[in-house]
Amino acid sequence: MSLWADKHRPKTLEQLDFHEGISNRLKSLASSGDFPHLLVYGPPGAGKKTRVLATLREIFGPGVEKLKVDVKIFENGSRKLEFNVISSPYHYEITPSDMSGNDRIVIQDLLKQVAQTESIDFTRKMKFKVVIINEAEYLTRDAQAALRRTMEKYSGNLRLILLCNSTSTIIPPIKSRTLQIRVPSPTAPEMSLVFNKILEKESVTSFDDDPSIFANVAANSERNLRMGIMLLESLYMNNDQITAKTPMILPDWKGVIKNLGAEILKNRNVQMVQSARSTFYDLIAHCIPSKLILSELTWELWYLLGNVKSGNVDQIKGSIVDACSTFDERLSLGQKDIFHLEGFIIKTMVILEKNL
């Protein structure tokens, strides 16, 4: 049994329920015969990958859904690196940031291999292959430089689609060689439309006819459609009847970060740092990205400081956000994420100790 978010994922551009202008633009590009490199960016859960996969189906047909997972082996000196690649006869999907500092090797070797392989399917109108690069904002500078050279050298039989939440870390040469498409988050009414369609397809009748239920789901998921659908499904699975007063079932890791923020305000000592380290290790082990941990913790501290009675609260908030931006950059440049998360905790404690 698959999750609703996967089961009801649109497969064609016509099936998408919002951002019709973006869908029409992608459809026009797919039929133009001159498909460019793309840089698709926007917040999580806005539908970036769904739109990209639907565009590939528009170009190549349903064959893009015949997916397989291959393990590629790359050599870095005496070391052998294993890397998972999702592929179809027409495209590849990779996440080079999983290789951390070795992402340049993946970019150089894999893309070169893909670009130098000629298609033997003479019925295809488009002779190029497409490579989707997830989490492009986490690529190192060396990897991005290698990517730029690949885009220039193999543009005849290779198209790249970069997916990212923000373009702030993408180097200008890549931006200038791609068509940038921003996919904003869906609005609450647009999310409600999607929720209604899913409940109708699943023949679910346990939700009250109250629009505030969907509005609560949209707000608690921060307009992340995938998270909203999963939250909707969890409500259905755990309640016989859902009303506007039914408590939302939020991800466990958010509760962990919420408790951590409260502990930081209460206890500013060495024991707290050691406890935070264990919490960070658990979150990272459960595949919660370090940058997401940092941003969520910063927002939680911002919220908690709103209840603190002090004339320096605004100054404290500004200093914590400044510290967050510093350690966010260090997460991009460094190797051991746990060090930078601990550094943010210690810096925050120093700020609180000086101003409260």
Side-chain angles (χ1 to χ4, degrees):
M1 184 178 71
S2 59
L3 296 172
W4 286 357
D6 297 321
K7 183 179 178 181
H8 299 288
R9 188 176 194 169
K11 295 182 179 180
T12 65
L13 292 172
E14 289 79 8
Q15 292 175 352
L16 293 164
D17 296 303
F18 53 92
H19 300 334
E20 185 178 352
I22 297 176
S23 298
N24 291 337
R25 187 181 183 189
L26 290 171
K27 191 170 184 178
S28 177
L29 287 172
S31 60
S32 66
D34 186 21
F35 193 76
H37 299 296
L38 295 181
L39 175 58
V40 184
Y41 66 99
K48 299 185 293 295
K49 185 181 289 186
T50 299
R51 277 181 164 72
V52 165
L53 293 176
T55 303
L56 294 185
R57 183 186 173 95
E58 189 77 22
I59 297 173
F60 302 113
V64 295
E65 297 170 11
K66 297 177 181 178
L67 300 176
K68 63 178 181 177
V69 179
D70 294 324
V71 178
K72 301 288 186 180
I73 298 178
F74 302 96
E75 293 187 1
N76 183 16
S78 59
R79 295 176 57 198
K80 289 189 176 181
L81 308 172
E82 292 187 353
F83 182 68
N84 292 331
V85 178
I86 300 173
S87 65
S88 76
Y90 308 101
H91 83 288
Y92 293 83
E93 183 179 334
I94 60 175
T95 309
S97 59
D98 290 345
M99 302 294 285
S100 189
N102 298 307
D103 54 356
R104 177 184 59 83
I105 298 172
V106 174
I107 292 295
Q108 282 183 332
D109 294 354
L110 179 63
L111 295 188
K112 182 179 179 182
Q113 177 184 340
V114 173
Q116 290 179 338
T117 304
E118 294 272 344
S119 173
I120 60 174
D121 185 357
F122 299 106
T123 62
R124 286 172 53 185
K125 295 180 181 179
M126 304 291 188
K127 297 300 182 182
F128 58 80
K129 281 197 173 184
V130 175
V131 178
I132 300 173
I133 300 179
N134 297 315
E135 300 180 1
E137 70 266 37
Y138 297 137
L139 291 173
T140 62
R141 288 294 176 121
D142 288 344
Q144 292 191 47
L147 186 63
R148 180 192 65 181
R149 291 192 293 272
T150 302
M151 295 169 71
E152 293 172 344
K153 189 173 182 181
Y154 300 109
S155 59
N157 53 352
L158 178 68
R159 294 293 184 275
L160 298 176
I161 301 179
L162 283 69
L163 300 178
C164 58
N165 295 335
S166 170
T167 62
S168 60
T169 58
I170 305 296
I171 60 176
I174 289 182
K175 291 180 182 178
S176 66
R177 289 164 173 79
T178 55
L179 175 62
Q180 299 180 43
I181 297 178
R182 180 177 179 270
V183 182
S185 294
T187 63
E190 288 170 339
M191 291 182 70
S192 298
L193 176 64
V194 176
F195 296 158
N196 268 316
K197 286 189 174 182
I198 291 175
L199 294 181
E200 287 178 6
K201 291 178 181 178
E202 293 290 332
S203 300
V204 173
T205 58
S206 55
F207 283 78
D208 283 1
D209 190 14
D210 187 345
S212 63
I213 298 176
F214 293 157
N216 289 338
V217 173
N220 280 276
S221 63
E222 299 175 354
R223 289 165 55 199
N224 180 324
L225 184 57
R226 182 176 180 85
M227 185 181 293
I229 295 172
M230 295 175 71
L231 179 54
L232 191 77
E233 186 175 5
S234 66
L235 286 173
Y236 166 69
M237 297 295 292
N238 290 278
N239 298 277
D240 296 327
Q241 191 68 28
I242 297 95
T243 67
K245 296 182 179 179
T246 302
M248 295 290 153
I249 304 171
L250 298 177
D252 293 340
W253 64 269
K254 285 202 170 189
V256 170
I257 292 179
K258 186 175 183 178
N259 293 335
L260 179 59
E263 286 295 322
I264 291 171
L265 287 181
K266 188 186 301 182
N267 303 312
R268 299 186 289 274
N269 49 44
V270 175
Q271 289 76 19
M272 181 60 232
V273 176
Q274 293 175 336
S275 175
R277 177 185 301 168
S278 299
T279 301
F280 288 144
Y281 272 124
D282 288 340
L283 290 170
I284 293 172
H286 285 82
C287 301
I288 307 300
S290 298
K291 288 201 171 192
L292 181 58
I293 296 172
L294 181 64
S295 64
E296 287 289 333
L297 183 56
T298 302
W299 280 114
E300 185 59 33
L301 289 168
W302 181 286
Y303 171 75
L304 293 172
L305 284 168
N307 300 322
V308 175
K309 295 181 180 179
S310 172
N312 295 332
V313 168
D314 290 339
Q315 179 183 346
I316 295 171
K317 287 182 176 180
S319 298
I320 290 176
V321 171
D322 184 63
C324 175
S325 64
T326 298
F327 285 97
D328 182 80
E329 181 184 20
R330 292 180 182 177
L331 281 171
S332 299
L333 300 175
Q335 296 288 330
K336 294 287 187 178
D337 291 358
I338 192 73
F339 294 162
H340 307 302
L341 292 173
E342 284 184 5
F344 172 71
I345 290 288
I346 295 170
K347 181 66 175 178
T348 299
M349 289 181 175
V350 171
I351 293 170
L352 294 172
E353 200 66 32
K354 286 182 177 180
N355 293 280
L356 284 182

